[in-house]
Amino acid sequence: METPKKEIVLSGIRSTGNLHLGNYYGALRKFVSIQNDYDCNFFIADLHALTTNPDPTQLHASVKSVLAEYLAAGINPEKATIFIQSDIPEIPQMYLLLNMHVGIGELMRTASFKDKARKALGLKTPENDTDENFEHEIIGAETNKRVNAGLLTYPTLMAVDILIQKATKVPVGKDQLQHLELTRRFARRFNSFYGVDLFPEPTDFDFGGAPVKVPGLDGSGKMGKSEGNCLYLIDDPKVLRKKVMRATTDEGPQAPNSPMSEPVANLFTLLELTSTPDVVKHFRDAYADCSIRYGDLKKQLAEDIVAVTNPIRERINDILANEDYLRRVVRDGAERARARASETLSEMRQIMGIHSL
């Protein structure tokens, strides 16, 4: 009896710096939990990182560090395909072909492009944020700053990452859901235009249950590299402790059973992720009866975070020191990823009439 094929899962992380606690709880632990049951493909998105024109030396170092962090977190290259995006030349080739079926207008209307384009130009979001106003801002802006075309076509490249592997499940954050919907639209459009059934329409892989939102240390929002509020997996214990002790709080509860401010609620969210239930209960009770001391809470939280990250940090450093192993992982991963990518690109070229005489 033939073994049924596993569903293809694909996810990538941009190589724009080290991974943090939010990446670990929001993605990496979940990736590890599914690698036995799915055809998992995890890549380092260095081509996507180029939209911010990173320093070449830093980009290369970041690719290497993210790779080591993937492995140290428990992603097994014997079970999952781990590869670097730029090691798959079929991706930029398909990127060009798919762009022929993508409209400029639909790319300009994406929320992420509007936000990043305005940041690139130093513009604020106006109260009357219409597509027409935005187009005038971008095209008519009197500035020597620019918005690169790669940022505009970011959703096409993301679609290619997914469609070239024919992935059917793609774990994405809330800010990427619009891009995933565009991927489905592009797949439908290509299939319909040529009367084929080449691309499956991928869906979000939510892993079941509520998504994990890991807050930063600055009192609001989620943990993120650009916000500067991160606890990195590679941070040594001294650095982690200092960061946690500087976390934003408030003046403390003024009456029993007071509602928590966002900064304090964020600390309790981190505590629930990293500490034991009895520790969480102890501090919740202390907050409820107004006896809590935030210094004690932070010290406990820091030690519990160190207990989680220190073994990972040690593995990261061991893996980074073994360059032969890293090269072998990405070589084997690229070979497996290219096999499917090459087949998909060949099918796409044939369908579009681009093939040898």
Side-chain angles (χ1 to χ4, degrees):
M1 185 176 179
E2 187 176 339
T3 304
K5 289 185 177 180
K6 295 179 179 179
E7 280 195 271
I8 300 170
V9 176
L10 181 129
S11 183
I13 293 180
R14 292 174 68 211
S15 50
T16 53
N18 294 106
L19 303 184
H20 52 71
L21 208 63
N23 298 129
Y24 179 66
Y25 282 105
L28 294 177
R29 288 211 318 173
K30 294 177 179 180
F31 294 169
V32 172
S33 72
I34 65 170
Q35 60 186 345
N36 289 323
D37 302 317
Y38 293 87
D39 180 345
C40 291
N41 300 261
F42 303 123
F43 69 96
I44 300 163
D46 57 339
L47 296 180
H48 283 294
L50 293 176
T51 59
T52 57
N53 301 120
D55 175 84
T57 301
Q58 291 179 348
L59 176 63
H60 179 75
S62 184
V63 169
K64 185 178 176 182
S65 64
V66 173
L67 173 62
E69 289 160 350
Y70 265 163
L71 297 166
I75 297 178
N76 186 341
E78 300 298 323
K79 298 178 180 180
T81 298
I82 305 172
F83 62 96
I84 300 169
Q85 188 184 28
S86 61
D87 281 347
I88 316 302
E90 290 82 3
I91 289 176
Q93 291 181 56
M94 182 171 160
Y95 175 45
L96 182 143
L97 296 180
L98 189 61
N99 262 327
M100 304 306 170
H101 292 275
V102 174
I104 293 175
E106 61 190 340
L107 294 176
M108 288 189 70
R109 287 191 292 271
T110 60
S112 62
F113 176 68
K114 286 184 176 183
D115 179 55
K116 291 176 181 178
R118 285 190 172 115
K119 284 182 179 178
L121 296 174
L123 302 172
K124 292 183 179 180
T125 302
E127 291 185 11
N128 184 24
D129 186 18
T130 65
D131 291 333
E132 291 77 13
N133 288 345
F134 175 71
E135 184 177 329
H136 176 74
E137 283 182 283
I138 298 302
I139 297 174
E142 295 181 4
T143 174
N144 59 356
K145 298 178 181 178
R146 61 182 171 79
V147 179
N148 67 58
L151 188 61
L152 176 66
T153 58
Y154 184 105
T156 310
L157 183 55
M158 178 174 164
V160 169
D161 293 327
I162 297 165
L163 299 178
I164 204 165
Q165 296 296 332
K166 295 188 178 178
T168 54
K169 290 189 177 295
V170 183
V172 294
K174 187 177 180 180
D175 57 341
Q176 295 288 331
L177 284 173
Q178 188 179 24
H179 289 171
L180 185 59
E181 178 53 43
L182 283 174
T183 299
R184 288 193 286 268
R185 184 191 302 175
F186 300 159
R188 285 194 300 271
R189 181 180 298 160
F190 186 91
N191 289 344
S192 175
F193 186 87
Y194 291 104
V196 296
D197 190 26
L198 178 62
F199 298 125
E201 293 186 31
T203 58
D204 178 26
F205 192 172
D206 62 8
F207 299 94
V212 178
K213 180 182 178 181
V214 181
L217 298 173
D218 56 350
S220 64
K222 69 176 183 178
M223 191 171 290
K225 299 171 190 175
S226 59
E227 285 75 19
N229 61 6
C230 293
L231 296 166
Y232 293 104
L233 300 179
I234 196 66
D235 283 344
D236 68 44
K238 287 184 179 179
V239 170
L240 284 175
R241 291 185 183 106
K242 286 181 180 179
K243 287 183 176 181
V244 174
M245 294 308 293
R246 291 198 301 263
T248 304
T249 53
D250 57 23
E251 71 279 7
Q254 303 303 302
N257 300 309
S258 299
M260 290 182 186
S261 64
E262 186 174 5
V264 174
N266 286 349
L267 291 182
F268 273 94
T269 297
L270 290 170
L271 199 69
E272 288 171 347
L273 287 171
T274 59
S275 306
T276 59
D278 59 309
V279 168
V280 176
K281 183 179 185 304
H282 167 76
F283 285 105
R284 284 201 175 278
D285 290 345
Y287 186 89
D289 66 17
C290 300
S291 65
I292 192 166
R293 295 172 55 170
Y294 288 146
D296 293 340
L297 169 63
K298 290 179 178 181
K299 286 177 184 177
Q300 180 68 55
L301 176 60
E303 294 311 312
D304 291 338
I305 291 173
V306 166
V308 171
T309 61
N310 208 40
I312 300 173
R313 181 181 63 85
E314 291 175 352
R315 289 197 295 272
I316 291 171
N317 288 328
D318 288 342
I319 292 168
L320 284 172
N322 191 344
E323 296 205 1
D324 287 342
Y325 174 61
L326 289 172
R327 280 192 287 267
R328 185 166 67 252
V329 168
V330 295
R331 184 183 64 241
D332 293 347
E335 185 177 326
R336 294 201 296 272
R338 286 199 68 186
R340 190 151 48 207
S342 178
E343 182 178 337
T344 303
L345 179 62
S346 178
E347 290 177 292
M348 187 177 187
R349 287 170 57 92
Q350 190 76 21
I351 289 166
M352 294 179 72
I354 304 171
H355 46 84
S356 301
L357 294 177

